[in-house]
Amino acid sequence: MNRIFELIEKQNTIAIVGHIRPDGDCIGSSLGLYNYILDNYPNKRVDVYLEPISEKFKFLNGAKEIINEPSHEVYDISISVDCSDTERHGEFGIIFKNAKNTVCIDHHRSNLGFGDLYYCDPDASSACEVVSRFLDMDKISKSCAEAIYMGIIHDTGVLKYSATSEETMYIVGKLISKGIDTQFIIDETFYRVRYSQNRLTGKALMKSKQYLDGKVIASNITLEDFEEFNASKEDTDGIIDKLRVTEGVEVAILAYQIDDKTYKFSMRSISYVDVSVISVHFGGGGHIRASGFYIIGDYEESLGKILDMVSKQI
Ligand code: 5GP
Ligand code: MN
């Protein structure tokens, strides 16, 4: 950690990159670091590279400055946050690859390590929690605190998932002391839903089926379902959380169709099934209790293969 921080302190141009389809934790950790560096080292230049982010995240300081297109600029250092492998950088991989120094800060169990310097804690609740370990709490501004708090809220399901630790709560307490509007952040970025999202959720719940004596629940959303409610991929947010709280369920599975041949799968488990190994098997990754991957093939057939692996663990 000290080596990473000393390295960052020495560099003048800094590029922060996250993962494709950035979520709350990815955006929060990117902008938390961005604000901290600019607040405390105003002579440095910091650029954040991410795919376009949802409107609800744009209240964060620096969100409007996020660059959505990769460039050929060679930065002194590129810092990767919340990203389990370099594939997940998507088109911003070039920024990371071209930088003179590279650092990886992460919390994914499936992360095998990359970058000149690498710090990954698979037991940390979020990338934001890991990033906060690098920061001097007394030097965190309100803008920085808002970003980091938001990421922790998202990756812990509002301080609920098992990775929420004493350290998580200690950091959250410190962030709240900066005067952030916690209710606004929780309601507007986590719980608020669109009409199309509610209707898509309803359909996915109606279509859900139970397997393995009800220990598994699975559902799928087809291109036709998206069309029916004029819904987008963003509208799938939160559906898996509704599936996973079903009585008797250990594993929840949600697939949504990307195109004719491809499905994106998300998996969640409650207490003993390791869904990370299953996702890694299919070329994806994640955590013990939350993971995902892409499969080319038919939904029922892919689900069959997944259920085989789940049933062995159960
Ligand atoms: P979600 O199901 O919400 O998309 O993702 C849950 C967790 O699994 C996230 O931490 C995410 O980083 C990881 N994950 C989801 N899809 C993929 C994937 O295709 N590849 C990898 N490596 N990780 C994924
Ligand atoms: Mn994360």
Side-chain angles (χ1 to χ4, degrees):
M1 270 180 64
N2 290 338
R3 283 175 64 203
I4 289 180
F5 203 82
E6 281 163 24
L7 182 68
I8 296 172
E9 272 188 317
K10 281 190 210 130
Q11 315 304 325
N12 290 315
T13 61
I14 300 167
I16 299 171
V17 295
H19 59 77
I20 50 174
R21 301 189 309 119
D23 59 3
D25 186 35
C26 176
I27 294 162
S29 52
S30 300
L31 290 178
L33 205 50
Y34 167 91
N35 279 291
Y36 187 87
I37 297 172
L38 287 182
D39 288 338
N40 294 291
Y41 307 91
N43 295 329
K44 295 191 193 298
R45 207 184 101 217
V46 188
D47 290 330
V48 176
Y49 287 89
L50 292 175
E51 287 175 1
I53 63 170
S54 165
E55 283 299 316
K56 66 186 180 187
F57 296 127
K58 294 207 174 143
F59 74 96
L60 291 171
N61 190 50
K64 294 193 181 75
E65 277 71 56
I66 292 175
I67 304 169
N68 300 137
E69 294 293 329
S71 78
H72 288 278
E73 179 161 352
V74 177
Y75 285 86
D76 292 340
I77 187 168
S78 178
I79 307 167
S80 166
V81 289
D82 199 31
C83 210
S84 56
D85 59 65
T86 53
E87 286 279 295
R88 304 257 303 153
H89 290 147
E91 57 178 352
F92 302 113
I94 183 156
I95 308 278
F96 190 77
K97 222 181 295 166
N98 284 349
K100 292 177 203 153
N101 300 278
T102 56
V103 165
C104 164
I105 301 175
D106 189 30
H107 74 124
H108 289 89
R109 194 159 300 274
S110 57
N111 192 325
L112 300 174
F114 61 88
D116 300 327
L117 290 175
Y118 155 72
Y119 181 98
C120 179
D121 179 359
D123 294 321
S125 69
S126 50
C128 279
E129 180 172 330
V130 179
V131 163
S132 73
R133 291 182 191 162
F134 287 79
L135 313 181
D136 180 341
M137 282 291 166
D138 296 331
K139 294 183 184 166
I140 289 183
S141 65
K142 187 177 168 192
S143 298
C144 173
E146 284 172 336
I148 293 179
Y149 177 83
M150 191 194 78
I152 293 177
I153 288 299
H154 279 246
D155 254 28
T156 58
V158 192
L159 309 178
K160 176 177 68 182
Y161 300 151
S162 58
T164 310
S165 66
E166 184 180 348
E167 185 192 356
T168 316
M169 298 309 271
Y170 174 79
I171 292 163
V172 163
K174 287 286 182 190
L175 296 173
I176 290 174
S177 78
K178 305 289 176 179
I180 61 176
D181 187 342
T182 54
Q183 188 178 350
F184 171 86
I185 295 173
I186 294 173
D187 281 344
E188 297 306 322
T189 74
F190 193 84
Y191 286 117
R192 182 72 58 224
V193 288
R194 290 167 296 278
Y195 182 55
S196 55
Q197 187 175 3
N198 259 347
R199 300 183 81 205
L200 189 73
T201 303
K203 178 106 188 209
L205 297 182
M206 288 288 290
K207 286 173 74 178
S208 68
K209 288 188 185 150
Q210 292 178 299
Y211 301 88
L212 303 174
D213 294 330
K215 291 195 179 66
V216 178
I217 189 163
S219 190
N220 76 319
I221 298 165
T222 61
L223 294 178
E224 291 79 53
D225 296 331
F226 281 118
E227 209 174 314
E228 183 180 355
F229 304 113
N230 196 17
S232 66
K233 276 183 277 182
E234 264 188 28
D235 293 319
T236 63
D237 281 356
I239 296 178
I240 189 120
D241 298 308
K242 294 216 159 54
L243 292 173
R244 78 179 267 287
V245 294
T246 311
E247 215 172 348
V249 162
E250 169 60 19
V251 177
I253 302 169
L254 178 71
Y256 67 81
Q257 200 174 1
I258 305 273
D259 56 39
D260 279 353
K261 297 189 203 86
T262 319
Y263 272 93
K264 160 79 206 270
F265 274 83
S266 287
M267 297 188 72
R268 302 289 186 271
S269 65
I270 301 288
S271 65
Y272 60 91
V273 170
D274 181 347
V275 293
S276 164
V277 293
I278 298 173
S279 290
V280 168
H281 174 84
F282 291 105
H287 315 280
I288 298 181
R289 307 269 170 261
S291 66
F293 53 91
Y294 292 82
I295 277 194
I296 293 176
D298 169 69
Y299 167 71
E300 295 288 345
E301 194 184 318
S302 306
L303 182 65
K305 292 180 196 160
I306 297 161
L307 289 174
D308 279 348
M309 293 193 71
V310 173
S311 85
K312 276 181 198 129
Q313 285 200 46
I314 282 179

